[in-house]
Amino acid sequence: MSDSSTTNEKYAPSAEFAAQANATADLYTEADADRLAFWDKQARRLTWDQEWSEVLDWSQAPVSKWFVGGKLNVAANCLDRHVDEGNGDRVAVHWIGEPKSDARDITYSELLADVSRAANYLSSLGLVAGDRVAIYMPMIPEAYIAMLACARLGLTHSVVFAGFSSAALRSRVDDAEAKVVITSDGQFRRGKPAPLKAAVDEALGSDLPNVDGPAASVHKVLVVRRTGIDVDWDAERDVWWDEVVPEQPDTHTPESFDAEHPLFLLYTSGTTGKPKGIVHSSGGYLVQASYTHYNVFDLKPESDVYWCTADIGWVTGHTYGVYGPLSNGSTCVVYEGTPNSPDEHRHFEIIEDKKVSIYYSAPTLVRTFMKWGHEIPAAHDLSSIRVLGSVGEPINPEAWRWYRDNIGGGKAPIVDTWWQTETGAIMVSPLPGVTETKPGSAMRPLPGISMDVVDNDGETVASEEQGLLVGTEPWPAMLRGIWGDMDRYRDTYWSHFAEQGYYFAGDGAKWDSDGALWVLGRVDDVMNISGHRISTSEVESALVGHEAVAEAAVVGASDEQTGQAIVAYVILREHHIGSGDELVDALKAAVSKEISPIAKPRDITVVPELPKTRSGKIMRRLLRDLAEGREVGDTSTLSDPSIMEALQKK
Ligand code: 6R9
């Protein structure tokens, strides 16, 4: 999907950067000497209310326990600790709204007071530790406050991306049996308010297909007034945030929770249609979030301005938008809008204005910037930038160079960070100031992390040979399971290499002859659209959900802009209504509504037949060849090889 050919182009860290870097090569030495002692030491970055008796208990593998018996409060580690240490006046969040007139700086003391009020309100609803709360919000301060208030009370949050449909929200609310939904009346999108609460009303009601009456678990919907647009109101269920939260006491005593207490669930696409609720812990998660954020981004809390552009709806927005940076006392930029609102200068204006020094974003955005042209960043003073990060998909070397030259002043180190919703925190990345980087390679597992590239038998592959990326030892931020489905957890991640006890990441990779790791993309039926995971079967079931469609096959085809794009082949029902472009548009709209606009297929082709094996499996490999305009591969296992010829003619 991207140009991942090994290059020998190397960028050594400058002596100047190395001299001031947080991380040194000693981290590798220490971790190699004694991995668990290394993590024991890293855990002491945080404030614990009770010390652990054991670093790792792996006796119930593949479910791990880290910092066994340790107790802490995640929110207190992100807020109270900094205030207690005399840093209450430091800005925690430079919030920048989409409308240019909207901005607000929030100090650590103010954020602590806001979180305390929200926590006091949530506990007044009778919620207790372990209850689930769904958060469906745009990038506004209250979204951060809501997450941290949940963390403070031990309520397990489930953030659902505000771009997801009401059907997606409903299935997540039901799966987690969330008791409360926190949302806003609307959100600003390209200068205009768009409704959001309306989607919550639809989700919780009984009108969606495949639901059995209203969402039974939800008692309250807490609504932030963001845009002032009209909303429907259920007086029993709905409550305005600004009518109940501000009047609450602004202090709150945090309780300590077990290191293994579930901090959050985050749903992600798997190879089957049903999204998986990935479960994350409190202690191990925060240890690795904090350690990686400090070392990979070289964070200097007193002087850096850090901006992770990810929405809180994604894991990057959790670990590097909220928990990693706040645990380290960072000053963060949080921006509500899109990069081209009101015009393509917006991100660069923000960097210039706030003197952003660490910028963490995704290859798809870098490619968009490239398309807009280098004159746009060149019109701004970006000299504050000193570290650049990339995440979400392999970054092609061309985009890597452009990023460094045009945003990083030709000198800022780039940290290409490989990790997953499941891993919780960064696993593979260069350490700036230590690692010589190669454009397009995530380089090497971080100190304390053990990974390998293996063949189907679990043997390490020779360098330059493609294999499967695996985790060979447990790590603190690893997922603790799939919510409500531990069999699926074992099956999805641990059954491929059960004998070796390896974690199967689902990515193809290789080591090059210098020992650098190259991640080559997914090996399963998960597509990567602009860094967002969408499964082929999710889109297929949305298409088949449309009355005109009898059968659908979906593949991810490489796309210059979005990394991969969704290409669908559909067989229509005998007596369907509509045809031609109109029908194709209706199908695209149906997927967009059922899942999210991100999942909208780029192309939909109506076909008479799909290529299948004799056992009835759709051969996606052949459809991918077709979608990418390649010569079609071996068709000998097809039940009817002539089908591909017919499709090619189309
Ligand atoms: C953090 C996040 C995980 C999948 C992962 C892989 C791809 C992420 C990458 C990368 C190459 C990188 N991926 N970072 N591929 N280089 N630096 O993105 O989590 O949304 O769960 O996606 O994304 O394919 O398996 P998530």
Side-chain angles (χ1 to χ4, degrees):
M1 56 180 276
S2 62
D3 171 12
S4 49
S5 58
T6 305
T7 76
N8 265 321
E9 184 184 343
K10 293 178 189 171
Y11 294 78
S14 72
E16 197 190 340
F17 195 101
Q20 60 80 64
N22 291 349
T24 65
D26 291 350
L27 286 177
Y28 293 107
T29 321
E30 270 176 52
D32 288 346
D34 188 338
R35 199 171 58 88
L36 294 181
F38 174 83
W39 285 117
D40 184 277
K41 184 172 162 193
Q42 292 307 326
R44 293 173 201 280
R45 306 175 52 77
L46 305 179
T47 302
W48 294 77
D49 303 320
Q50 187 176 305
E51 187 152 334
W52 51 96
S53 56
E54 202 186 344
V55 176
L56 168 68
D57 175 359
W58 192 226
S59 62
Q60 307 295 311
V63 181
S64 68
K65 284 200 177 111
W66 283 85
F67 311 110
V68 182
K71 285 186 180 221
L72 79 172
N73 184 291
V74 169
N77 270 282
C78 291
L79 301 168
D80 309 54
R81 187 162 56 122
H82 309 310
V83 174
D84 293 347
E85 286 170 4
N87 295 317
D89 293 337
R90 183 184 298 158
V91 172
V93 173
H94 285 300
W95 179 71
I96 299 162
E98 188 189 87
K100 279 202 165 173
S101 53
D102 273 5
R104 190 179 144 202
D105 284 348
I106 308 169
T107 64
Y108 273 93
S109 298
E110 289 164 346
L111 190 57
L112 172 58
D114 284 338
V115 168
S116 298
R117 287 188 198 97
N120 284 322
Y121 176 70
L122 291 174
S123 48
S124 79
L125 295 177
L127 294 171
V128 295
D131 285 345
R132 275 81 56 207
V133 172
I135 296 177
Y136 186 61
M137 297 173 91
M139 292 288 280
I140 54 178
E142 290 83 355
Y144 276 58
I145 295 167
M147 289 170 76
L148 291 161
C150 287
R152 196 169 187 90
L153 296 173
L155 305 173
T156 301
H157 60 68
S158 164
V159 178
V160 180
F161 176 50
F164 276 162
S165 66
S166 49
L169 174 61
R170 173 62 180 267
S171 69
R172 286 156 176 75
V173 162
D174 281 352
D175 188 72
E177 296 172 277
K179 290 193 171 163
V180 170
V181 179
I182 309 179
T183 188
S184 63
D185 54 353
Q187 55 182 334
F188 284 104
R189 277 293 165 260
R190 297 179 214 281
K192 289 196 204 82
L196 190 62
K197 181 179 184 284
V200 176
D201 293 335
E202 188 175 44
L204 302 184
S206 45
D207 295 337
L208 287 173
N210 308 322
V211 303
D212 211 10
S217 59
V218 177
H219 306 317
K220 272 276 170 279
V221 176
L222 184 56
V223 189
V224 174
R225 223 185 287 266
R226 170 68 190 119
T227 58
I229 54 172
D230 284 344
V231 291
D232 287 342
W233 205 251
D234 174 340
E236 286 274 292
R237 189 197 67 185
D238 301 343
V239 31
W240 286 112
W241 176 293
D242 60 6
E243 287 177 4
V244 292
V245 176
E247 67 189 28
Q248 295 289 324
D250 63 2
T251 56
H252 176 270
T253 309
E255 199 186 318
S256 319
F257 296 103
D258 192 273
E260 287 304 315
H261 187 76
L263 178 64
F264 67 87
L265 308 181
L266 188 62
Y267 286 80
T268 187
S269 292
T271 49
T272 67
K274 190 173 181 270
K276 307 175 278 201
I278 303 299
V279 182
H280 279 294
S281 71
S282 297
Y285 170 79
L286 197 65
V287 167
Q288 195 177 330
S290 176
Y291 151 75
T292 52
H293 180 262
Y294 179 78
N295 288 294
V296 172
F297 298 106
D298 192 46
L299 180 88
K300 310 286 192 250
E302 308 78 22
S303 53
D304 274 316
V305 177
Y306 166 84
W307 185 9
C308 165
T309 65
D311 190 280
I312 49 156
W314 313 110
V315 74
T316 307
H318 284 60
T319 309
Y320 299 102
V322 180
Y323 293 113
L326 295 182
S327 70
N328 288 327
S330 319
T331 295
C332 307
V333 166
V334 177
Y335 170 52
E336 181 184 29
T338 51
N340 53 353
S341 171
D343 60 35
E344 291 85 359
H345 289 268
R346 194 74 196 266
H347 270 221
F348 309 114
E349 272 167 15
I350 294 172
I351 294 173
E352 183 171 19
D353 184 38
K354 295 295 175 211
K355 301 200 166 41
V356 171
S357 52
I358 305 171
Y359 181 77
Y360 188 29
S361 196
T364 185
L365 188 60
V366 175
R367 290 192 298 267
T368 304
F369 289 155
M370 285 171 77
K371 195 181 71 183
W372 290 344
H374 63 84
E375 311 76 43
I376 294 179
H380 301 273
D381 175 5
L382 307 180
S383 59
S384 54
I385 293 281
R386 57 179 207 93
V387 179
L388 292 173
S390 174
V391 64
E393 58 177 315
I395 181 164
N396 38 312
E398 201 194 340
W400 195 103
R401 283 182 219 111
W402 190 94
Y403 196 25
R404 183 177 155 110
D405 291 343
N406 294 280
I407 316 286
K411 64 179 202 304
I414 296 182
V415 288
D416 176 2
T417 62
W418 179 92
W419 59 294
Q420 307 177 296
T421 306
E422 292 86 342
T423 69
I426 298 172
M427 303 290 278
V428 185
S429 168
L431 287 174
V434 178
T435 318
E436 192 174 53
T437 52
K438 297 184 176 193
S441 168
M443 300 308 295
R444 64 184 282 204
L446 287 178
I449 300 298
S450 308
M451 306 207 58
D452 201 357
V453 180
V454 300
D455 62 20
N456 277 319
D457 300 323
E459 297 291 334
T460 305
V461 296
S463 70
E464 301 296 343
E465 253 170 58
Q466 276 199 37
L468 301 168
L469 186 61
V470 294
T472 56
E473 297 285 353
W475 62 98
M478 69 192 292
L479 73 169
R480 300 305 197 258
I482 293 176
W483 183 257
D485 199 347
M486 291 309 276
D487 288 341
R488 190 173 176 199
Y489 168 64
R490 289 188 188 87
D491 190 52
T492 308
Y493 304 108
W494 303 93
S495 65
H496 291 75
F497 300 106
E499 206 178 301
Q500 297 82 358
Y502 291 169
Y503 167 83
F504 174 65
D507 280 353
K510 69 174 183 187
W511 296 111
D512 73 13
S513 50
D514 290 331
L517 184 72
W518 295 75
V519 178
L520 306 171
R522 303 287 306 187
V523 295
D524 54 14
D525 291 332
V526 175
M527 300 173 289
N528 190 324
I529 316 300
S530 297
H532 301 314
R533 282 164 64 172
I534 312 275
S535 77
T536 53
S537 59
E538 232 176 319
V539 179
E540 285 164 5
S541 56
L543 285 167
V544 174
H546 189 279
E547 58 199 0
V549 177
E551 208 176 345
V554 165
V555 295
S558 60
D559 182 284
E560 226 168 80
Q561 204 58 51
T562 56
Q564 281 188 304
I566 301 178
V567 175
Y569 297 89
V570 297
I571 303 176
L572 298 180
R573 278 178 199 279
E574 201 79 18
H575 300 291
H576 64 87
I577 302 163
S579 62
D581 288 350
E582 220 166 274
L583 177 63
V584 165
D585 287 346
L587 294 178
K588 287 184 183 176
V591 177
S592 178
K593 181 160 169 41
E594 178 68 26
I595 308 170
S596 121
I598 299 163
K600 184 154 127 185
R602 183 190 69 189
D603 307 316
I604 299 183
T605 310
V606 175
V607 295
E609 212 48 80
L610 290 169
K612 287 186 187 158
T613 60
R614 274 171 275 259
S615 65
K617 278 207 180 65
I618 295 172
M619 289 194 68
R620 291 203 176 71
R621 175 171 61 78
L622 299 178
L623 292 174
R624 214 172 294 129
D625 290 341
L626 200 64
E628 293 180 343
R630 259 194 311 276
E631 192 165 329
V632 170
D634 181 22
T635 57
S636 60
T637 55
L638 282 180
S639 63
D640 177 0
S642 71
I643 287 172
M644 282 315 289
E645 284 162 37
L647 291 187
Q648 270 168 300
K649 286 205 191 96
K650 274 223 136 201

